Amino acid sequence: MTDLPQIHSVASEDKNRALSAMFMAFTSDPLARWFAPEPDHYVSGCLGLMEAFGGRAFENGTAYASAGYEGVCFWLPPGVEADEQELDQAIEKLVPSSLKDEVVAVFEAMDQTHPHEECWYLPLIGVDPAYQGRGLGSILMKHVLNIIDQKGLPAYLESSNPQNISLYERHGFEIIDRIQIGSSPPVHPMLSPRGNLNHDGCYQEIASPFFCF
C-alpha cells in the first residue's frame, strides 16, 4: 500500500454513516452471528446493539474512520462507558430467548474483566468486507494508538476472533483472560500498557476486538 488512507474523527452528523460501515464489517463475525444467527435478526437489531455498545465514542470525538468510511473504529476514553440501558434493550430485541442467559453472562464477564485503572477501551473496530485485505484495520489501530500513547494510559479490548490475536499482540496487546460461556465462541480480553512500543507498521487486515473486521 503506497498511499495510506487518511483517518479522521467522525463528526456527529456522520454517525449513521460510521455505524453502517461497522454493521457491514460484522456480518460474518463469530460472536455477533452466534447471538444473531438469523439474517433478519442481524439486520434489524445489530445496528442498535453497536450504537449502544460503542456509540458514546461519537459524543467524545473518539470515533474514527477512513476517508470513505471503508473502515471505522469506536474508542471510549477513560471514564466513558457503554450505555447499559440501551445495551440491555438491544440484547432483549436481538438475541433469541434460548441464548439470552448466555449472552448476558458473556457481557457481564466482559464487564468484570475490564481493568479497574484508567484506560482507553476499544469496543468496536471493523472494515467493510468490500475493502478488507487492504490493511485498513491495522492503519486505524495504529492511528489511534499513536494518539493514546501521548496520553500515557493503557489500552484495552476484547478479541472475539482468535485469528486476530497475533496482530493485536504486534500492536502491544497481551491476553489477560479468556471468556467462554455455554455455547459462545471464546472472547479474549487483551491489555496494552502502551509506552515506547515499536509499532511495526504492518498493514495486515484484522477483525475486531468485540466484533469483526
Side-chain angles (χ1 to χ4, degrees), residues 27-104:
T27 54
S28 60
D29 177 69
L31 192 61
R33 299 315 302 270
W34 165 66
F35 59 69
E38 296 189 16
D40 61 333
H41 289 167
Y42 179 80
V43 169
S44 64
C46 253
L47 202 64
L49 179 65
M50 291 175 178
E51 183 169 8
F53 197 53
R56 285 184 170 165
F58 298 101
E59 305 168 12
N60 290 273
T62 51
Y64 297 90
S66 58
Y69 287 80
E70 302 90 348
V72 290
C73 60
F74 306 158
W75 283 85
L76 300 183
V80 178
E81 299 179 354
D83 189 317
E84 290 189 10
Q85 183 175 358
E86 287 190 11
L87 189 57
D88 289 343
Q89 292 173 353
I91 290 173
E92 183 67 28
K93 175 182 178 181
L94 174 64
V95 177
S97 57
S98 60
L99 288 176
K100 200 155 293 179
D101 289 346
E102 291 181 12
V103 172
V104 170

Side-chain angles (χ1 to χ4, degrees), residues 8 10 46 48 53 56 64 99 105 107 112 117 123 126 173 178 200 209:
H8 66 277
V10 178
C46 253
F53 197 53
R56 285 184 170 165
Y64 297 90
L99 288 176
F107 274 90
Q112 293 168 4
E117 68 270 21
F173 288 86
R178 183 182 187 273
D200 61 10

Side-chain angles (χ1 to χ4, degrees), residues 139-203:
I139 293 168
L140 280 164
M141 178 70 79
K142 185 176 180 181
H143 175 87
V144 184
L145 289 179
N146 286 339
I147 296 173
I148 291 174
D149 286 347
Q150 299 174 19
K151 311 294 183 181
L153 291 174
Y156 175 76
L157 60 83
E158 295 107 0
S159 175
S160 62
N161 190 338
Q163 294 181 358
N164 300 321
I165 288 174
S166 62
L167 177 60
Y168 291 129
E169 289 174 336
R170 288 198 294 275
H171 284 281
F173 288 86
E174 298 177 356
I175 294 174
I176 60 173
D177 207 341
R178 183 182 187 273
I179 298 169
Q180 198 279 318
I181 296 172
S183 61
S184 77
V187 176
H188 292 89
M190 302 186 72
L191 180 68
S192 174
R194 308 311 306 152
N196 296 320
L197 295 174
N198 179 21
H199 304 308
D200 61 10
C202 65
Y203 300 117

